[in-house]
Amino acid sequence: MSEINCESLFRKYHNNVYRVCLVMVKNKSDAEDAMQETFIRMLNNKPIFDTENHALAWLFKTARNICKNKLAYWFNKSVPLEEIDNILHTSTNDNKEVLKLILSLDFPKREIIYLYYVEGYSTEEIAQILDLNPNTVRSHMKRAKEKLKGIAIDMEVF
Amino acid sequence: MNKIKDTFNDIHVSEEKYNETLAILKGKSNTIINRDKLIKYNIAKQIGLGALLVVLTIYSIKVLLPSFKGNNELIHNVSELDFKSIDILAIETIIRTPIVILLLGGLLQIITSELNRYILKFKGYYYASKKFNLTFSVLFLILLVFLFINGYDKKALLMLIAMFIPSGILSPNVVKVFKEKIQIKNMLTQKTKEYPLENFRYQDDTSLIGKELVYTDGTLGAFSLSGEAKFLMKNHLNNLEKIKDLDQKEYINFMLGLFKKKENSFKNFSNKLSLLFIFGYLFLFLFLITSFARYNLTQGAINIVPDNMVINKITYNDYSKDIKNTTDLSKDKYNELVSFLNSMPIYDEMYYGDDTIIKELDLEFLGNKKIKYVFTKSYLLIYVPNELSKYPQHNSIRYIKDSYKKNGIYSESYFRIPYYKDVLDKLDGILNSK
């Protein structure tokens, strides 16, 4: 896939990139801005990809860097969690609770959980995207699961 | 696992952002609405407004305070101008004070409400409350510093307090914004789960807002302005028995029920309070306009003895001691006498009492123009001939005369003003010392 088509990638993956950003910055407006900036960066840098999965991994990695930069600003240090209702479309009580549980996890545990359970990446692939050792990813995953199980035993999240 | 996937599948980019980004990728648009940029823009705007406020504050205090302190610099300066500028200056004196008050009050209101609006939007209530307090404290501190640098009296202090009154109207607005932005239900759900209400405590807030509610470990401060968390906490603690067996949903409904009741009564109260603030402010504002305008023109010292008149003869009669004295003063003594006479305050009220004359002081200038100070037992009469009162620096004297005429109490060109015994002693001291 030498020629990239930003438009089609955007149509296909905008929600995936947005969700990764949301997991990182925990804020709707910031996540949307980061998602937009990611695709604009792709448009400007014109990276070359072997496969569509490679493109998606690039998008996740770039989105992650943009979010990291955003979190460096003093006014982004703390994020109100009162926005959950605005983030979810159908906003059932269960979904809200699940989202809150995941967002309450430390960084990068919530990212790992998202990439593993929602995007379906393996721990090795996650390690590549997050620039971490696969063993570190696995230990983060283990601890995140324990924490979620502890809190969400009634909700049958797992 | 499915739950997590389901939840995230329920999260979508807003249509607005989707279309905006698509337009950019298609090359149809260059407009990026970025939250970071918006915040930076807002910060820049606040700094700009803040700088404007500081400049205005310095200007108003520098211009207004001298006249409050009884310094005659303002009126003195008029003598350096031609006659045509006098009326303009007189008008300026009347309108300057209320305009400055209005500008400062308005600016303060804009700044604080703007600041709150964006902090509430982006940072949540806790930060809004903190920044709000901070803004107030800093502004108040700046004003106080200038106040003490320049010296102060009661009127100046009153004026500064008046500047802060428009901001008082703010509090109901802030509550309104808070209610729009934060959904009580979510707050309740989250706070009760993560931060048990028993663990909240009150903390005195040293700024203007009042008490603040803080989580015991200091991680979460909240809701001092709206009183919503205070209300929650109070009701939670008062109803421990009732809520003991409620599950979370029932608990929320119970608290929301209480909230609704309070909200209705608060709405009525807050409307009345806003009206009270507005009317109170209007009345005070009108009062200040009239009193300050009069104060600026008619109170304080006036250079009754013009600077550039050449003195010909000074005659001093002390009837109590039967002394008639034509004094030939040295230049220094003359300057001392003039500055003493010019420092005596003039009021626009007529003063009556025992009119037995005890002393008289005549200052005769070249061209037979004479200013006469007559000290009776109860008051001082100052006679300024009409041709002298046309002097630019006697603008205020003319105003007093006009005011006397209007009230039908004007006679000749005398002013009757109260004085204190030490005035006579000081006069004796200057005129009798060699």
Side-chain angles (χ1 to χ4, degrees):
Chain A
M1 199 177 93
S2 54
E3 280 284 308
I4 57 154
N5 187 335
C6 283
E7 201 186 312
S8 64
L9 280 173
F10 172 73
R11 283 183 199 276
K12 203 166 175 184
Y13 295 119
H14 64 277
N15 278 328
N16 304 56
V17 177
Y18 168 62
R19 288 165 197 157
V20 166
C21 297
L22 189 71
V23 166
M24 274 198 77
V25 295
K26 299 202 281 184
N27 177 296
K28 189 175 154 62
S29 330
D30 269 343
E32 285 189 337
D33 284 348
M35 179 278 299
Q36 185 180 63
E37 211 176 319
T38 308
F39 282 99
I40 291 171
R41 219 175 258 195
M42 179 184 253
L43 183 75
N44 294 336
N45 295 353
K46 296 184 176 58
I48 294 164
F49 302 117
D50 301 327
T51 60
E52 203 167 292
N53 278 344
H54 182 199
L56 187 60
W58 184 93
L59 283 170
F60 284 157
K61 209 164 181 167
T62 310
R64 193 172 178 265
N65 289 335
I66 290 168
C67 290
K68 263 186 171 175
N69 288 340
K70 276 189 178 293
L71 289 170
Y73 286 118
W74 63 267
F75 48 78
N76 282 332
K77 290 272 186 229
S78 171
V79 178
L81 282 176
E82 282 83 3
E83 291 190 359
I84 300 288
D85 261 356
N86 301 331
I87 292 171
L88 291 162
H89 261 218
T90 48
S91 75
T92 61
N93 278 339
D94 279 0
N95 282 358
K96 267 190 261 174
E97 289 306 315
V98 172
L99 186 59
K100 254 192 252 174
L101 284 177
I102 292 175
L103 293 185
S104 71
L105 288 173
D106 294 338
F107 185 76
K109 289 189 187 81
R110 53 180 190 267
E111 250 186 309
I112 293 170
I113 289 287
Y114 170 78
L115 291 172
Y116 187 82
Y117 285 112
V118 184
E119 295 295 338
Y121 283 110
S122 68
T123 44
E124 281 77 14
E125 285 167 326
I126 295 172
Q128 262 191 341
I129 293 171
L130 303 185
D131 282 332
L132 292 171
N133 186 307
N135 286 331
T136 315
V137 173
R138 274 189 280 273
S139 72
H140 274 308
M141 175 91 90
K142 196 181 161 209
R143 268 182 248 139
K145 274 182 181 176
E146 277 164 11
K147 195 175 175 191
L148 287 179
K149 264 183 188 162
I151 308 169
I153 198 144
D154 301 338
M155 300 187 58
E156 294 164 6
V157 172
F158 293 98
Chain B
M1 184 176 141
N2 283 337
K3 275 251 183 243
I4 298 178
K5 207 163 184 173
D6 281 354
T7 304
F8 277 95
N9 282 338
D10 193 25
I11 297 171
H12 304 281
V13 175
S14 68
E15 205 174 324
E16 198 186 353
K17 201 71 180 177
Y18 177 85
N19 292 334
E20 186 190 305
T21 314
L22 198 61
I24 294 166
L25 295 174
K26 280 179 173 175
K28 285 182 183 170
S29 162
N30 287 320
T31 318
I32 300 168
I33 302 165
N34 192 304
R35 182 176 166 270
D36 288 343
K37 281 182 188 163
L38 268 178
I39 294 180
K40 279 175 194 164
Y41 164 76
N42 266 314
I43 292 170
K45 199 167 84 177
Q46 301 302 340
I47 291 171
L49 280 171
L52 194 64
L53 178 77
V54 171
V55 169
L56 260 173
T57 309
I58 295 169
Y59 166 80
S60 66
I61 288 174
K62 278 211 165 237
V63 171
L64 288 173
L65 271 188
S67 61
F68 288 126
K69 284 191 328 185
N71 185 328
N72 54 19
E73 190 186 354
L74 265 179
I75 299 160
H76 181 83
N77 286 341
V78 182
S79 64
E80 291 158 14
L81 301 164
D82 59 30
F83 280 93
K84 279 180 187 167
S85 4
I86 294 167
D87 288 339
I88 297 165
L89 270 168
I91 293 165
E92 197 205 322
T93 317
I94 295 170
I95 61 176
R96 183 174 44 213
T97 313
I99 282 183
V100 171
I101 293 174
L102 193 68
L103 272 177
L104 283 177
L107 262 178
L108 199 66
Q109 187 155 1
I110 292 166
I111 287 174
T112 42
S113 63
E114 278 287 314
L115 199 65
N116 267 294
R117 223 173 274 278
Y118 99 89
I119 295 170
L120 271 171
K121 189 169 179 189
F122 295 128
K123 301 300 295 175
Y125 182 74
Y126 172 65
Y127 287 86
S129 153
K130 280 282 159 202
K131 299 273 171 185
F132 184 81
N133 292 351
L134 190 73
T135 321
F136 252 114
S137 311
V138 169
L139 287 173
F140 203 69
L141 200 70
I142 292 171
L143 286 170
L144 280 181
V145 166
F146 279 104
L147 190 68
F148 281 104
I149 287 174
N150 286 280
Y152 69 95
D153 67 8
K154 278 178 200 161
K155 296 247 176 182
L157 203 60
L158 194 68
M159 188 197 78
L160 285 172
I161 292 166
M163 284 176 194
F164 282 94
I165 290 172
S167 314
I169 305 171
L170 261 184
S171 10
N173 294 346
V174 171
V175 176
K176 216 184 280 171
V177 174
F178 172 60
K179 279 182 182 165
E180 280 166 15
K181 298 292 172 195
I182 297 174
Q183 292 176 18
I184 311 291
K185 205 174 167 187
N186 281 327
M187 187 179 84
L188 278 169
T189 317
Q190 190 195 322
K191 297 286 180 288
T192 49
K193 194 155 194 168
E194 292 178 25
Y195 305 99
L197 286 170
E198 295 88 40
N199 291 345
F200 277 95
R201 65 178 162 82
Y202 280 107
Q203 177 176 288
D204 272 328
D205 190 346
T206 45
S207 57
L208 300 177
I209 302 304
K211 287 204 168 185
E212 189 179 55
L213 206 60
V214 191
Y215 198 61
T216 36
D217 63 359
T219 52
L220 189 84
F223 324 114
S224 56
L225 255 186
S226 69
E228 279 161 350
K230 264 190 239 173
F231 177 80
L232 273 183
M233 182 179 149
K234 200 173 130 195
N235 280 287
H236 182 94
L237 296 177
N238 288 345
N239 296 294
L240 281 176
E241 275 303 309
K242 279 188 203 167
I243 60 175
K244 195 171 58 181
D245 301 322
L246 300 181
D247 65 19
Q248 185 153 329
K249 206 171 176 183
E250 287 166 337
Y251 173 81
I252 289 168
N253 286 335
F254 174 75
M255 291 300 246
L256 278 176
L258 292 175
F259 232 104
K260 221 164 191 177
K261 260 192 213 166
K262 182 188 156 78
E263 204 174 34
N264 287 336
S265 61
F266 178 76
K267 218 179 261 172
N268 293 334
F269 175 69
S270 127
N271 288 343
K272 277 178 198 157
L273 198 70
S274 308
L275 270 179
L276 198 72
F277 264 123
I278 291 164
F279 279 115
Y281 174 66
L282 276 178
F283 276 121
L284 194 67
F285 187 65
L286 284 173
F287 163 76
L288 286 172
I289 288 175
T290 47
S291 67
F292 282 132
R294 270 175 76 231
Y295 181 77
N296 272 345
L297 276 178
T298 64
Q299 254 178 324
I302 298 169
N303 281 2
I304 289 197
V305 185
D307 292 342
N308 46 359
M309 292 285 287
V310 181
I311 193 83
N312 197 24
K313 200 166 84 181
I314 297 173
T315 312
Y316 183 50
N317 292 328
D318 192 337
Y319 300 110
S320 59
K321 292 172 189 161
D322 203 19
I323 296 172
K324 187 163 185 176
N325 183 15
T326 302
T327 316
D328 198 8
L329 290 176
S330 68
K331 201 179 174 197
D332 282 351
K333 278 283 160 200
Y334 172 70
N335 286 340
E336 196 185 339
L337 175 70
V338 168
S339 74
F340 168 67
L341 292 173
N342 282 347
S343 72
M344 278 198 286
I346 301 290
Y347 300 91
D348 62 352
E349 288 98 18
M350 290 289 274
Y351 197 81
Y352 297 95
D354 188 342
D355 57 0
T356 314
I357 296 171
I358 43 174
K359 285 171 203 266
E360 264 183 325
L361 174 71
D362 292 341
L363 303 176
E364 211 175 301
F365 301 96
L366 282 178
N368 288 331
K369 287 166 189 159
K370 198 189 273 182
I371 292 179
K372 199 178 185 77
Y373 287 81
V374 182
F375 296 89
T376 71
K377 279 195 173 165
S378 304
Y379 54 89
L380 164 68
L381 286 164
I382 306 174
Y383 169 74
V384 183
N386 281 334
E387 59 266 36
L388 263 187
S389 67
K390 277 176 191 159
Y391 254 76
Q393 67 199 51
H394 288 160
N395 195 29
S396 300
I397 297 178
R398 282 191 287 136
Y399 174 84
I400 297 172
K401 283 183 179 177
D402 288 347
S403 150
Y404 282 13
K405 272 183 193 167
K406 227 181 198 173
N407 296 319
I409 51 173
Y410 175 74
S411 67
E412 301 178 48
S413 286
Y414 284 98
F415 302 106
R416 290 160 184 254
I417 56 171
Y419 69 92
Y420 300 98
K421 198 181 170 297
D422 62 333
V423 169
L424 288 177
D425 294 342
K426 193 154 187 194
L427 197 65
D428 279 341
I430 295 170
L431 291 169
N432 294 330
S433 68
K434 292 288 165 194

